[in-house]
Structures are given as C-alpha cells and as structure tokens.
Amino acid sequence: MSKWTLYTRRFMRNKPAVGGIIIFVLLVLFAIVGPLIARYDHIELDFLNLGTGPSADHWFGTTASGNDTFAQVAIGLQRSLMIAVSVSLGTTILSAIIGTAAAYFGGRTEKLTLLVIHFMMVVPSFLILSLLSNRSGGDWRVIALIMIFVTGWYFPARVVWTTALSLREREYVHASRYMGVGGFRIVLRHLIPNIGSLLVINFTLGIVGAVMAETGLSFIGFGVKIPDVSLGSLIGSGANTITSAPWLFYFPAAALTLLTVSMALVSDGLRDALDPTSAAGGRA
C-alpha cells in the first residue's frame, strides 16, 4: 500500500472532513456557475425591484439600488476564494523556502531571518495592511499581494523553521552535503518535501485566515471596493440593513460561514490523516 493510498483511506474515514470537502466543492461550483446562471449581472440595476426580498426573479432578493443579491454573493464568493487561495498558496511557498533555508544555513542567515520574523510579529500588521490596501484602490490582486508579502508569511515561516531544525541533522542531509550538493538544492529537494504534511495543513488553514482577513478589511471599508464585491464588503453593507433587509446580510454571511467551517474540517482531517500517531482517522 502506497503512503498516498494510506492517507486517502484515513482521510475518507473522517466523516466531518469528507463533509467539509463536499461543502467546499459545492461553494466553488456556486462561485463558478452562479454568475453564469444568474438572471442579472452583479452590477446591473433593476429599477422595478428596489430592496425587494427573495423572489422568482431575484432568488436572494435585491439591494436598495436594485442589484441582484444572488449574483453579488456568487461574485463575492469568487473574489474571496481567489484572494484566499492565492494568498494561502503564496504564503505557504514563501514560508517554506524562508523557514527551511534559515534552519539549514544557520548562523547569520538564521539570526537575521528570525530577527525579521520576530519584528514583524510585534508590528500591528492589520493597521499596515489596512493602509496599504486602502491606497491600492480596492483591487483584489493588489490586496492579495500585500497580504502575502506583508502579513501572511512570517508566522508560518517560524513554524517551518522549528520543524526543519530537526531535519537538517538527518543522515540524508549530511550525505547530500558530503556529495557536494548545493545548499539551496538540499533545501528544495530534501527539506521541503519532508515537511510536506505540515505545508498542506498550513495551506488549508491559511485559506481560512486569508478569508477572515479579507472579510475584516472589506467590512471596515479598506478591502475590495465598488463596483467589485467580496463577501466582506457584502456583509459590511448588509449589516447596516439587517433589520429592514436581512437577506442582504444573511446570504453572504452563510456563504462565509460555510467556507470557513468546511476548510476547518478539511484541515482537521488532513492533520489526522497525515499524522502517523493519530487514531482519529481510524484504521486504514
């Protein structure tokens, strides 16, 4: 039995994790197919239905301006997923390279890297992220890049560095060094692949963190801006009308809740499946 078959069997025995995968796939399908099947575009105005509730024409109701809420939630989920996946993938790759390189090379490289990481951990990163995101004009691509290079990489890099400290003393690392293999090649070919399970878990948890960060920024007005929308901006605008038009808040809030819960369940399932000492995944 290959190790991937073993991991898959252990993961599939975790029913909540399987449920999380199903929910996440359905959300992705909704984000892709939703704008295509919606009767109205997310920026199109229906002046005959201003602030109306869910109906046959507008499945999730409309805003006070006549925007179709179904289309807005689909596009908002799409934008939030794009930001979350790109940020999580970028921070995982960046933290893996920085953390393992610091652990392997040691010396001044390690001290300088840890100095930068510890400094970033005490800086109020949310304020910096808010200011830079506001100056970007609300472009989700720029927001994703800011989240990767300003606030997203240093904590995972600290965790990766701690794990990689034990790997640099392994026999295969010493053998590669004695055979004349370069340092960066050892990092990329030997250290990073051997912490793959940690990186997978960091990636799934990073999606949740990126979604919550983007939601918080957009909620207070520093994230994605009109005419583009995200779940955070929709929740922020819907919170002001929760008593008069509750559908404007509950539909995007439900999408956000399902997304975060599904990724949390998937990350727990991956942790149990990849951890050889865990019995939560059941016998494979």
Side-chain angles (χ1 to χ4, degrees), residues 89-225:
L89 182 62
T91 55
T92 300
I93 295 174
L94 193 62
S95 63
I97 295 174
I98 293 176
T100 52
Y104 175 78
F105 291 106
R108 294 182 179 179
T109 302
E110 184 179 36
K111 292 180 180 179
L112 180 61
T113 303
L114 292 179
L115 178 64
V116 174
I117 290 175
H118 294 158
F119 174 77
M120 293 297 296
M121 292 178 69
V122 300
V123 171
S125 56
F126 188 79
L127 296 178
I128 299 176
L129 184 58
S130 301
L131 294 175
L132 294 178
S133 300
N134 191 44
R135 293 176 63 89
S136 69
D139 189 344
W140 69 270
R141 301 174 187 85
V142 180
I143 293 175
L145 290 175
I146 293 173
M147 292 175 68
I148 291 174
F149 292 105
V150 176
T151 64
W153 64 271
Y154 50 84
F155 186 77
R158 181 68 167 77
V159 177
V160 170
W161 169 78
T162 304
T163 306
L165 284 177
S166 60
L167 295 180
R168 70 180 182 184
E169 304 301 331
R170 296 292 179 89
E171 292 80 2
Y172 55 83
V173 175
H174 289 295
S176 300
R177 188 184 302 119
Y178 293 148
M179 293 173 64
V181 180
F184 282 104
R185 187 175 179 83
I186 293 176
V187 168
L188 296 177
R189 294 293 300 273
H190 297 288
L191 294 183
I192 292 180
N194 280 281
I195 58 172
S197 59
L198 173 64
L199 299 180
V200 169
I201 296 173
N202 283 347
F203 173 72
T204 55
L205 292 177
I207 292 178
V208 179
V211 166
M212 299 306 295
E214 183 277 324
T215 301
L217 285 174
S218 299
F219 185 84
I220 61 177
F222 290 108
V224 179
K225 300 184 183 300

Side-chain angles (χ1 to χ4, degrees), residues 238-284:
N240 299 324
T241 60
I242 192 170
T243 55
S244 59
W247 58 87
L248 299 179
F249 175 82
Y250 288 125
F251 283 117
L256 175 64
T257 303
L258 290 174
L259 177 59
T260 55
V261 170
S262 66
M263 293 312 300
L265 294 175
V266 170
S267 64
D268 287 340
L270 288 173
R271 181 196 60 200
D272 295 334
L274 297 174
D275 185 3
T277 63
S278 174
R283 296 192 178 187

